[in-house]
């Protein structure tokens, strides 16, 4: 019966599925299909999701269909539709429900060559992170995998997912490989500007900022990305102050390194570049920069957050 339903369940809302159920005698985890047999009504997504919530064996079956090598779109659609319905209608998501779904998500996140499976994993994970607090090790794994296996031709969906994960899960940091993978993305600033129109990207930007500023002192791409973010991505007061702190801290470090080297009286080029960036921030966010400078002078919020 499992083999038969493996082919038929993705079409659960069709009259053909109803006719098939009339030809079998549901048993085991499929006993709930007797309701379809009795009423003659197609199996709705809501009823199927409810059964998955009541019986993990049914949920596992739906997940296993999505994990099949070369799973067709209809099976992936069943997985996405059922999981999204399940997660959005369940007040508290039990751990065993998350454990049943997660193997498919991890496989999908890594499947950059199977775009349909990866897109399915993205949609389910984006729903899951709104409902469940991931364990620290799981969160670390997810945030590292997403940018690592992003589709190189179109990394925007992976960046949008990472923004959602950071916004709802609030990680204190991202793994170093994840930070590097994001900063290597082509047209990063342009994509962040697009993402910021749909979601709150401030937490991810805050996590990227220290490394982005450090690399901007020596790398053309990071410098260009930093300038484009200032120009095109809306930044709140906290982000502007954090960016300004990172720039001033990095300039101090570069100046100290230059003084120790004593190889030339000229200022480190990175200091000059970041100084120009600081002026650009002041032009774009004059009130925010005034607040930052006042904090530095008074030893208030801006000063306490600074590094020496």
């Amino acid at each position: 019966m499992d083999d038969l339903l493996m082919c038929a369940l993705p079409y659960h809302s069709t009259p053909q599925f109803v006719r098939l159920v009339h030809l079998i005698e549901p048993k085991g985890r499929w006993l709930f299909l007797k309701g379809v047999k009795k009423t003659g009504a197609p199996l709705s997504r809501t009823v199927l999701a409810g059964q998955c919530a009541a019986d993990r064996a049914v949920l596992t079956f739906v997940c296993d269909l999505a994990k099949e090598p070369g799973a067709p779109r209809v099976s992936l659609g069943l997985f996405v539709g059922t999981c999204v319905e399940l997660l959005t209608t369940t007040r508290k998501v039990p751990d065993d429900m998350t454990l049943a779904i997660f193997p498919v998500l991890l496989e999908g996140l890594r499947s950059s060559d199977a775009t349909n499976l990866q897109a399915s994993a993205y949609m389910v994970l984006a729903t899951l992170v709104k409902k469940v607090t991931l364990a620290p090790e799981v969160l670390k794994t997810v945030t590292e995998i997403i940018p690592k296996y992003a589709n190189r031709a179109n990394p925007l969906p992976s960046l949008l997912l990472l923004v959602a994960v950071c916004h709802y899960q609030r990680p204190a940091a991202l793994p170093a490989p994840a930070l590097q993978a994001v900063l290597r993305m082509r047209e990063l600033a342009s994509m962040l500007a697009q993402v910021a129109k749909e979601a709150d990207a401030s937490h991810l930007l805050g996590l990227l900022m220290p490394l982005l500023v450090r690399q901007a002192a020596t790398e053309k791409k990071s410098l260009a990305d930093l300038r484009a973010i200032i120009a095109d991505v809306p930044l709140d007061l906290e982000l502007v102050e954090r960016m300004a702190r990172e720039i001033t801290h990095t300039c101090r470090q570069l100046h100290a390194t230059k003084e120790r080297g004593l190889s030339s009286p000229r200022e480190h080029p990175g200091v000059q570049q970041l100084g120009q960036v600081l002026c650009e921030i002041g032009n774009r966010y004059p009130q925010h920069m005034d607040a930052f400078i006042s904090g530095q002078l008074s030893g208030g919020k801006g000063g306490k957050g600074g590094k020496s």
Side-chain angles (χ1 to χ4, degrees), residues 57-117:
V58 179
L59 176 59
T60 300
F61 184 87
V62 171
C63 293
D64 287 344
L65 285 181
K67 285 197 301 181
E68 284 289 314
R73 286 189 178 185
V74 67
S75 295
L76 296 175
L78 175 69
F79 167 71
V80 173
T82 303
C83 289
V84 170
E85 178 80 17
L86 187 58
L87 292 170
T88 53
T89 56
T90 303
R91 181 171 298 179
K92 181 175 174 57
V93 179
D95 290 343
D96 61 339
M97 186 183 294
T98 304
L99 290 173
I101 296 171
F102 233 87
V104 189
L105 298 186
L106 291 177
E107 184 172 335
L109 293 176
R110 295 187 178 100
S111 300
S112 55
D113 56 342
T115 54
N116 290 332
L117 176 58

Side-chain angles (χ1 to χ4, degrees), residues 90-259:
T90 303
R91 181 171 298 179
K92 181 175 174 57
V93 179
D95 290 343
D96 61 339
M97 186 183 294
T98 304
L99 290 173
I101 296 171
F102 233 87
V104 189
L105 298 186
L106 291 177
E107 184 172 335
L109 293 176
R110 295 187 178 100
S111 300
S112 55
D113 56 342
T115 54
N116 290 332
L117 176 58
Q118 189 175 65
S120 300
Y122 282 7
M123 285 187 277
V124 175
L125 182 59
T127 306
L128 181 67
V129 295
K130 298 177 185 179
K131 301 281 291 188
V132 174
T133 300
L134 302 180
E137 283 303 311
V138 174
L139 181 58
K140 180 177 182 292
T141 298
V142 166
T143 53
E144 188 168 344
I145 287 174
I146 293 170
K148 180 179 180 180
Y149 293 94
N151 187 299
R152 292 188 179 183
N154 181 24
L156 181 60
S158 65
L159 188 62
L160 187 58
L161 176 61
L162 190 59
V163 163
V165 172
C166 289
H167 176 69
Y168 289 105
Q169 298 293 310
R170 317 301 288 185
L174 291 181
L179 291 172
Q180 291 289 358
V182 173
L183 294 182
R184 283 195 298 267
M185 289 181 178
R186 298 174 61 183
E187 300 182 359
L188 174 62
S190 175
M191 290 192 296
L192 284 170
Q194 293 182 58
V195 170
K197 294 176 182 178
E198 303 179 33
D200 182 0
S202 58
H203 194 73
L204 175 60
L205 278 167
L207 297 176
L208 291 175
M209 200 58 62
L211 182 58
L212 178 59
V213 169
R214 289 198 300 272
Q215 292 189 174
T218 57
E219 296 181 6
K220 290 182 178 180
K221 179 188 182 302
S222 293
L223 179 61
D225 283 337
L226 183 59
R227 283 178 160 159
I229 287 171
I230 294 166
D232 301 328
V233 181
L235 305 176
D236 59 24
L237 174 61
E238 184 179 349
L239 266 174
V240 171
E241 290 190 346
R242 181 165 188 174
M243 186 183 295
R245 284 198 301 270
E246 292 296 340
I247 289 174
T248 53
H249 173 62
T250 302
C251 286
R252 291 191 195 106
Q253 287 185 319
L254 293 173
H255 185 69
T257 302
K258 188 67 178 176
E259 282 188 337

